[in-house]
């Protein structure tokens, strides 16, 4: 992945940067776009108020993409959990007309860079139903993980309450949902660097063979598509059985 600048990323048509006070007035438009996107996809983005986004901007924990006229076209913010042990790049949103121009990838990459700079020891996490987001995450170094590896803090999962699939998460005691959990652990890179420093050239070959192997998204994409389909059918049947049971009890 090409290293992004510390301040901003300039392309032919848009700019990606850490949001500043000059972007505070865009908070309401961003929130509205998040709500419309969630309705269109039938899944949830954690519902946040304009003031919450303004707070993130003032804290220097938000990434924004704007067009040449200064209008918002993409956004993402950084949240921390368990005293900085975990970091999430949340609320990724791109306006529909800009979704084929690499905006999401640029915003995610800049948020990832910001997270690693401000919280170098933190595990960077996320949950998503989008294969496109999984692909972007995999290119940044994320790997799929079980929900048990994610924060146990109730505040983290509270962000899922606005999702239509929230009942699935609660009924499975936060063990399963339609989303896939993803994680990047900076320890993977540290261990690899340490092995390279401590071993000779011949031993280096063995160390590389035993080193953490990056996840190959393209190799597993068909499996992920099938898994998502299976989960959708399984949880739909569970919901139908539950509804039928409620109707029977009323009768």
């Amino acid at each position: 992945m090409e290293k992004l600048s510390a301040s901003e990323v300039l392309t032919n048509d848009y700019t990606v940067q850490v949001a500043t006070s000059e972007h505070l007035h865009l908070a309401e438009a961003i929130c509205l776009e998040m709500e419309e996107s969630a309705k269109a996809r039938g899944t949830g983005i954690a519902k946040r108020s304009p003031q919450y986004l303004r707070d993130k901007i003032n804290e220097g924990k938000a990434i924004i993409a704007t067009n040449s006229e200064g209008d918002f076209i993409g956004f993402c913010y950084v949240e921390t959990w368990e005293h900085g042990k975990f970091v999430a790049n949340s609320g990724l949103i791109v306006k529909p007309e800009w979704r084929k121009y690499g905006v999401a990838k640029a915003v995610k990459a800049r948020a990832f860079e910001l997270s690693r700079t401000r919280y170098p020891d933190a595990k960077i996490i996320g949950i998503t139903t989008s294969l496109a987001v999984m692909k972007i995450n995999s290119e940044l170094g994320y790997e799929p993980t079980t929900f048990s590896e994610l924060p146990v803090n109730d505040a983290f999962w509270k962000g899922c309450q606005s999702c239509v699939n929230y009942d699935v998460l609660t009924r499975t005691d936060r063990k399963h949902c339609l989303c896939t959990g993803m994680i990047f652990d900076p320890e993977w890179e540290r261990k690899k660097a340490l092995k390279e420093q401590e071993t000779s050239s011949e031993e280096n070959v063995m160390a590389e063979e035993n080193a953490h192997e990056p996840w190959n998204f393209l190799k597993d994409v068909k499996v992920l598509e099938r898994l998502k389909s299976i989960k959708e059918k399984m949880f739909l049947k569970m919901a139908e059985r539950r509804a039928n049971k409620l109707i029977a009890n009323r009768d």
Side-chain angles (χ1 to χ4, degrees), residues 52 73 77 81 107 169-170 178 230 239:
Y52 184 87
I73 61 170
Y77 56 87
W81 311 98
V107 170
L169 185 68
T170 55
L178 296 185
I230 290 171

Side-chain angles (χ1 to χ4, degrees), residues 96-127:
E97 61 268 29
W98 283 89
R99 288 179 186 168
K100 294 183 180 180
Y101 297 95
V103 178
K105 184 175 182 178
V107 170
K108 280 286 289 183
R110 188 66 186 85
F112 185 77
E113 180 190 9
L114 178 65
S115 299
R116 296 206 63 187
T117 300
R118 296 191 62 161
Y119 307 98
D121 297 322
K123 295 178 180 179
I124 305 177
I125 58 172
I127 52 176

